[in-house]
Amino acid sequence: MKCKIRYLFHLLLVFLLATEVQAQNIRVTGKVTRKTTGEPLYGATVTLKGTKQSTTTNSTGDFSLSVPANSGTLVITYIGMTTQETAYNGAGAVSIILEEGNAAILNDVVVVGYGQQRRTAVTGAISTVGTKELVQSPVADLSNALQGRVPGIITKQASGEPGSDAAAIYIRGNSTFGATMAPLFVVDGIVRSFRDFSQLDANEVESVNILKDASSAAIFGVKGANGVILVTTKRGKAGRTVANYSFNYGFQKVTKYNNSVDSWQYATLLNEALLNDGLPLAFTNDQIDNFRKGTDPIVYPNTNWEKLVLGGTAPQMQHNLSFSGGTEKTRYFASLGYLDQDGLYSSLNYKRYNVRINLDIQATKTTKVSVDISGRLENKKAPTTSISGIFEHTLRNPPTIPAYYPGVGYAQVGSYVNTLRAVDPAAGYDNTENNTILTNFQLEQQIPWVKGLSIKGVFAFDKRLNYQKTWNDNVYTYTKNTGTGNFDRSAYNNPNLSEKYYQDHQTEMQGHINYTNRFGKHGISALVLFLQQERPQNEFGASRSGYEFSFFDVLDQGPSNNAGSITETINGKKDRFALRSGAARINYDYDNKYLLQASLRRDESEQFAPNHRRGYFPAFSAGWVLSKEKFMENTLSTVDFLKLKGSWGKLGNDAATDPTKNDNPYRFLYLPRYATVANDYAFGGTIVPGLNPVAANPLASWEASTKMDVGAEARFLNGLLSIEIDYFRESRNQILTTRYAQIPASYGGPLPAENIGKVLNRGVELSLSHYKTISKDLSYSVRGNLTIAKNKILEAAEAANVPAAFKVVGRPIGSYYGYKAIGIIKDQATLTSYGKNTAFPVGLGDIMYQDVNKDGNIDNADRQFLSGGAIPEVVFGFSGGVNYKGFELSFLFQGATNTHQQLTNNAGFAFFNGGRVTGEWLDRWTPDNPNGKYPRLSTNATATTNNYQVPGGPAFGQGGNSFWIQDAKYLRLKNLELAYSFQPAILQKIGASQLRLFATGQNLLTFTKIHNVDPENTNGNGWYYPAMAVYNFGLNIQF
Amino acid sequence: MITRNFKWITGILIMGTLIASCKRNLLDVYPSNSLSDATVFTDISLANRFLNDVYGTLPNGFARRDQNPGDAGWSRGMSAFAMAEDDAEANNLASSTQGLNQGVLPTTWAYADDIWTQNYAVIRKANLFMEKIDAAPADAAVKSRMKAEAQFLRAFCHAELVKCFGGVPLMLKAGTPEESIIPRNTYEECLNQIVKDCDEAAAALPVAVQSSDLGRATKMAALALKARMLLYYASPLNNTANDLGRWTNAAAAAKAAMAYGPPPGSGDYGLYPDYYRLFLDKLGNKEVIFARKFQNPDIKPSDGARNKWYMSVPGVNDGAWGGFAPTQNLVDAYEMKNGKAISDGSSDYDDQHPYDNRDSRLDKSVIHQGTVYKAGIVIETYRGGNTNNTNRLDSSKTGYGLMKMVDTSKYGAAGDADNDWIFLRYAEVLLNYAEAQNEAVGPDASVMDALNQVRARSGQPNVPALSQADMRDRIRNERRVELSFEEHRFFDVRRWKLGMTFFRQPARKVQITKNPDGTFTYSYPKWEDRDYKEFQNLLPIPQSELDRNGKLTPNPGYY
């Protein structure tokens, strides 16, 4: 214990007091590039030979080193490159080009679960996104920076709302319908939450490794079936202190507005719809003329609600300051980040502070101590109206109603919700503070008398404290009284307040035994691991309503009695999660040519019954480096490297979710019990509690996944061209799902989830890259990747008598089912020849449906599979860049196909729920426009009319008709960057080692056929904050 | 050397500590929000909580769903069966009740699915309770009463199903999932079981309960339910041979319940003096026999949905949707104060002053032009008036709004209204008796007396002597008016097999024009055409249930 404290003092001293006192030194600067590509090398170590003075290169490959003598030799090392020595003479710039040797390539390492491996020895499927690409995307949420960069990752960004704009990540597509497909997130060796990953400051991150196949992820056992995302943060290197400051400032803007119509068009179209419905018209011709003239904006407005709420631009700003350096004994990386992102309305803002210190202490020659401490403060300010509420009504409100009466206030017309008022800061706030501290202490001890043997203890403690405060305040609205001509003010809306605290702490302990050694041509490394994890959590909240006035947003100041409309609530909850695991892994290679890996993990999860808790997850993989074979020698001039690999393994997924409870994780599924219901019924005016039986399945277990992968990696022509290709196949069994589709509702009880479902998911990944250096000043690169992942359901507890065309078995997860539209009845002749009996009246201008069983009726038996769902089966990315002197231009296109979206509500239907009509309806069927693309107008956009019917779908797909299902394929210019790095000669004058200016853009161009919703979104009603285009400028300076 | 050894020994020690500190009970986690099966029925107060939950699951008219299948939740409570009748119109034309009143009734109709699922959920809980309560340590009398409450609830929910679908699978025990794959029982079997459950429950339950227990099943509730179901059994839809014995049984059952009515009955039940307050007042309200209870702040109709029924009234800006619009057809059914129908030439009805001198129940049920609303707001339903801004799609379709069951004193915060949904009330018992007795023996004095009791409460004069057929029409109209919006007419018209008569008539509205001199001109144009098909007398067995249970036969006419 004593020594631990001493280390702590040591590191504190080093950190606080270490300043560099330099004698009369000169400064040598230079640039390190990769020979084959001309790419600048980031993180190369430059050491003055014979001393401990060293530095590392920055992201443009530049370095600056203070040296005491006028001449000497620099030693430049970089992982994967041949170490090079370069002499210098006097101050000034040197240029160093490093070369990849076969030996050097062999030493390039990649982070894997609980360890690292030489990249050439990897037999699994792992993709890496480096810090440069992560920083390049001007996005607040790291999950949006992975898109399109590497194969095997499919993302869907559900919202662009600051602070809530994360993308859902699907590694190699979707393999389950019973549980989340969210991968496991591991930050510096500890399993952490998605948000711990996505809210990292990209400047802190060294690399993100995506473990896609069984052999790489199986070490995570019951948590690993969805793939694993490993984040490695930056660490200090021995040498001079490097200070880095980066700054970004940008504007966000809506990528695309909906198709809108003017108020006179709306009035005209509404009259047409009412006429079609045989209902009285809503507007007279005079009124329509007045709308068209627009001279009386109070009575005859032309309101574009979407632009009122979302118009303009919102700024975002990001600062990051980091220091790194240290000595052979103690190395550190410290970073401080700040993000401030505004929303498109003023009541929306997100601020984030990230701080990190990573320390490495070589306590003795054989003992290494690492201490990582990082913290994150998030502060989100939002309106009290939910996002879905704001957008539901923004998209519903017709253009014929005013948003405000000048000089009076917000207009209230009928029951239309004035969303401009809803986003007014005066209407209150919904503030969320998330405070997170993540710590990680490691002690690694080499065992001196056994070469290659070491032990490691890891202790991680994370603490989260979240606080939410919601204050709903009064903002008056006004209604124009047609009788008096006055503006009647709304009643005072008594404010209400709620506050909620949440906290959890996660403790994880790991013990590792590592052994790595070579015996001649035989290389062996082995790992034995024990871990246990525990996460108790609790929350507490209180609320009061009926505040008399708006002065105090304090709970103490609210009325404390429960009477009439005044309520107060207090609530609290607790829970605990736990996991105990052990794992072993062994790697063997013969001459780095034949590679083998085997691993086994044992897990115990508290999610399941004591006798069904334990699971074993094995994996095997093998690789063959053909390029090392004698018979390949002749081709070595063209083939630099060629490896074949294959893997097989079993993994689990215990993150099953309960579709009847907002997809919350299943808890205690095995335990027969009765849930308490606090306020269940009222007898004689007294509210009494209840107990509600809960369905249990004592046999419940995790989803079992069996994965297989075969692939090849190759590099040709001295690195000019690299190819990686993988075929993968996963069968996911024991998917937890209920038998609601098989058991009659007359059973009357809830049904427990059972391990029933089966899904097969297969696909191919391909990535290609090409670099070329044309001259010392000019180089370029292009890269492309493609992922195809197709799944099909093999078992889903369907009802027995479901017609084949309507079965989910054999079809992809999340597919659309319903009636297939085959055209619009354009004239009487078409109507006659259509001649079907339909449940709903059909006439001219209506949609015709396919009669699957040809019985002359359009009925339930004619429902069929229509198309795949919203998660794309094919995604691709295409990126490139050109470097010329100090200039860099790079781009990333990203896209997806085989993806569909069903438009619903006001995103698709005309006049839905008394709402707006969108512009594409201008091309509708009318007697004069019989070939219109859209059916005849009606105010009756309901499930019980022919054109909008949404029959009850099967358990795994939405019902609908294919007319509203649109192809959501898209191609997007995700990222574009133009940057300039100043030359060392100029930098010297300001004492900097690097200065880079850049302009970046995100989501700048989108090519898609789908309208009114973003193609990346999974929500067909448009009730979300849209994805943003970002125009960003910034600089990066390093000393 | 010693130092170096010391350090790695420290390392091993730390590792050892880590491993040794493994909690033995790390994985033993128990829920903090539920109790195990074994615990609940070893303690009578916990068992009682389970019984509370059986009541808490009762579906009711304030929580009917009115939206697309699969689009659950947000629009609950926006409509009742009334909107699928000739008495009202759904403001939300996207509603599935709107489809139904247009004669469109697919097997995927959301209502049918909800009614099926929700009632069987109560039935299973009641069965579970009845099976397990015997084991609980408590006084036998207490257990017998609790068991009888569960038995009544089972009968009540079976009855709800039978009203909608005809014969359904009877669920008399909490069996396994597979045991629910059974064919439908006949109407007769269902009825006999309901009657049996009612009889057994009635034997074990008190006639009435003290005010702190209001809401619990009583002997009176069991008797009234039995009387209702026997009336359904005797009705033309289910009694095609017109077996008079069934009417006799129905009349006798209603008579048995009337024994607890006003003297010469026991006086435990009776009519509440004020027809409007009847639906709002809870204490001392002897008319209520069985109701779904609500209580502020925590037991309210789901989603605070009732505010959506209210008419959107200016100056009362709280998001009322005016979701519910009574039709002119219903308004015309109210008699004049003098007891004459408005179609009667001698009734003194003036169609330019249509609301003058009408049955007082009109004002207490329907908001119309000139209604003085809360805080003196005068409702204007004329074109351009304060509640009839025609530029909006959400103003009342018919020129009428809902007054009955709307607590205007709580209107300012509409979601706070907590009046109960009344399932069974004494006036229905009287009307059930009058109808059954008129069919069984003709319009005798007891028929007229029962009818007149109901009329007298609202100030309507006694009915004159009538033929059996005229009395039948009179009773039917009385039911329509007295029980409006209470989910009766939807079933009454069906069991009378009069859907083709009433439900195909166009729905009419009032159209009022304000003249320059301040007077009004009234007209009553068609609002929309309605349609109905004879087979719709029974609702469709839900498609999803047909898919799940191959032994079910669909109701005829549906495909």
Side-chain angles (χ1 to χ4, degrees), chain B residues 210-492:
Chain B
Q210 58 193 28
S211 58
S212 64
D213 271 338
L214 280 178
R216 290 199 183 276
T218 58
K219 175 177 189 151
M220 184 63 166
L223 295 178
L225 176 63
K226 177 183 168 184
R228 175 193 283 178
M229 292 319 291
L230 285 173
L231 179 72
Y232 272 65
Y233 185 51
S235 299
L237 178 64
N238 307 309
N239 187 12
T240 41
N242 198 24
D243 174 0
L244 283 186
R246 295 190 188 181
W247 291 110
T248 311
N249 287 343
K255 191 86 187 168
M258 282 157 65
Y260 302 103
S266 73
D268 287 306
Y269 293 88
L271 295 173
Y272 197 64
D274 184 333
Y275 181 76
Y276 175 69
R277 298 298 313 172
L278 152 66
F279 301 99
L280 309 178
D281 294 347
K282 303 181 183 201
L283 286 177
N285 188 337
K286 287 184 174 183
E287 183 160 352
V288 178
I289 297 172
F290 186 56
R292 174 66 166 89
K293 303 285 290 176
F294 294 103
Q295 183 67 43
N296 255 335
D298 294 309
I299 309 283
K300 288 193 288 196
S302 51
D303 301 350
R306 261 186 295 179
N307 60 344
K308 297 172 180 113
W309 281 30
Y310 297 120
M311 194 164 194
S312 192
V313 173
V316 191
N317 189 349
D318 62 353
W321 287 15
F324 188 99
T327 57
Q328 185 65 40
N329 311 36
L330 172 68
V331 171
D332 286 350
Y334 287 85
E335 295 171 355
M336 299 298 289
K337 254 197 174 67
N338 58 21
K340 292 180 177 170
I342 63 165
S343 55
D344 185 333
S346 62
S347 67
D348 295 332
Y349 173 71
D350 176 357
D351 69 1
Q352 293 307 305
H353 296 90
Y355 313 123
D356 294 352
N357 300 318
R358 299 294 294 275
D359 182 335
S360 65
R361 285 173 289 190
L362 172 59
D363 284 355
K364 291 177 176 183
S365 304
V366 174
I367 293 174
H368 53 74
Q369 164 68 25
T371 297
V372 178
Y373 205 66
K374 179 194 179 188
I377 297 165
V378 178
I379 300 288
E380 302 164 349
T381 63
Y382 57 83
R383 203 174 169 102
N386 59 12
T387 64
N388 189 6
N389 187 342
T390 51
N391 286 351
R392 300 195 329 236
L393 289 176
D394 64 341
S395 59
S396 171
K397 305 289 187 231
T398 59
Y400 295 110
L402 181 68
M403 180 65 112
K404 187 172 171 175
M405 296 185 260
V406 172
D407 191 347
T408 59
S409 68
K410 293 182 175 168
Y411 186 81
D416 293 326
D418 63 356
N419 45 310
D420 300 335
W421 175 264
I422 300 173
F423 291 122
L424 291 161
R425 62 182 174 101
Y426 191 68
E428 187 207 335
V429 175
L430 293 173
L431 293 171
N432 290 350
Y433 174 78
E435 184 180 344
Q437 182 72 1
N438 184 49
E439 299 299 336
V441 299
D444 64 10
S446 69
V447 171
M448 291 173 68
D449 179 56
L451 196 56
N452 287 336
Q453 280 186 50
V454 175
R455 292 169 61 82
R457 180 247 307 269
S458 296
Q460 287 302 100
N462 287 349
V463 287
L466 296 166
S467 71
Q468 187 189 37
D470 286 348
M471 183 58 83
R472 181 182 298 136
D473 289 344
R474 207 61 191 255
I475 293 169
R476 285 176 177 172
N477 198 61
E478 196 65 32
R479 280 186 81 94
R480 180 178 194 179
V481 165
E482 171 70 21
L483 304 176
S484 61
F485 316 140
E486 294 178 58
E487 297 191 343
H488 281 285
R489 187 167 177 79
F490 182 90
F491 298 106
D492 283 345

Side-chain angles (χ1 to χ4, degrees), chain A residues 290-309:
Chain A
N290 285 328
F291 278 120
R292 198 196 309 258
K293 281 185 219 141
T295 45
D296 181 357
I298 290 178
V299 183
Y300 300 103
N302 183 17
T303 312
N304 186 328
W305 285 92
E306 203 192 356
K307 284 194 176 154
L308 274 182
V309 174

Side-chain angles (χ1 to χ4, degrees), chain A residues 751-809:
Chain A
L751 295 170
E754 298 169 56
N755 293 100
I756 296 172
K758 291 182 184 167
V759 169
L760 177 66
N761 183 25
R762 288 166 299 182
V764 174
E765 283 175 17
L766 175 67
S767 88
L768 289 168
S769 62
H770 166 58
Y771 296 103
K772 178 135 198 191
T773 306
I774 290 165
S775 71
K776 183 170 155 290
D777 288 330
L778 180 63
S779 65
Y780 72 89
S781 68
V782 283
R783 283 198 249 180
N785 66 73
L786 170 73
T787 307
I788 303 171
K790 296 194 177 197
N791 67 70
K792 71 176 178 198
I793 296 171
L794 299 181
E795 178 56 61
E798 274 189 283
N801 60 343
V802 172
F806 199 46
K807 271 202 186 305
V808 300
V809 164

Side-chain angles (χ1 to χ4, degrees), chain A residues 840-1035:
Chain A
F840 315 107
V842 171
L844 296 181
D846 283 330
I847 300 171
M848 298 182 285
Y849 298 108
Q850 191 178 36
D851 183 8
V852 176
N853 59 6
K854 301 200 165 53
D855 63 354
N857 300 324
I858 301 297
D859 58 24
N860 284 316
D862 297 310
R863 293 177 297 169
Q864 57 178 307
F865 167 79
L866 296 174
S867 77
I871 298 172
E873 287 184 330
V874 179
V875 295
F876 51 88
F878 177 71
S879 62
V882 183
N883 289 359
Y884 178 69
K885 291 191 168 163
F887 288 95
E888 278 174 79
L889 177 69
S890 61
F891 66 87
L892 168 66
F893 277 98
Q894 189 268 330
T897 69
N898 289 28
T899 170
H900 295 84
Q901 184 64 60
Q902 176 177 326
L903 296 182
T904 60
N905 297 0
N906 297 107
F909 309 158
F911 308 113
F912 177 80
N913 194 12
R916 68 169 186 184
V917 57
T918 40
E920 68 277 1
W921 279 91
L922 293 169
D923 182 23
R924 73 216 168 271
W925 180 93
T926 62
D928 301 331
N929 184 27
N931 295 316
K933 201 170 156 231
Y934 278 75
R936 72 184 176 90
L937 283 167
S938 165
T939 55
N940 201 2
T942 100
T944 47
T945 55
N946 178 72
N947 295 349
Y948 301 93
Q949 54 188 322
V950 184
F956 305 99
Q958 301 106 310
N961 78 58
S962 63
F963 189 86
W964 304 104
I965 296 169
Q966 298 208 345
D967 188 341
K969 68 169 169 256
Y970 68 93
L971 174 66
R972 240 178 188 160
L973 177 53
K974 264 281 152 196
N975 191 268
L976 184 67
E977 181 182 60
L978 177 64
Y980 178 71
S981 296
F982 287 87
Q983 299 303 311
I986 297 165
L987 293 175
Q988 264 190 326
K989 289 182 188 157
I990 56 170
S993 58
Q994 185 203 353
L995 175 59
R996 183 168 183 267
L997 302 178
F998 51 89
T1000 48
Q1002 184 82 359
N1003 291 341
L1004 295 181
L1005 292 172
T1006 305
F1007 306 95
T1008 184
K1009 281 200 274 187
I1010 195 164
H1011 55 76
N1012 296 345
V1013 296
D1014 190 88
E1016 288 189 63
N1017 197 275
T1018 48
N1019 175 331
N1021 57 18
W1023 295 357
Y1024 57 87
Y1025 192 98
M1028 292 285 113
V1030 183
Y1031 303 85
N1032 181 70
F1033 308 89
L1035 69 86

Side-chain angles (χ1 to χ4, degrees), chain A residues 128-136 145 149-150 202 205-208:
Chain A
T128 307
V129 184
T131 185
K132 188 175 179 219
E133 289 159 320
L134 295 173
V135 172
Q136 201 167 43
R149 296 291 186 184
V150 290
V205 179
E206 177 71 36
S207 68
V208 174

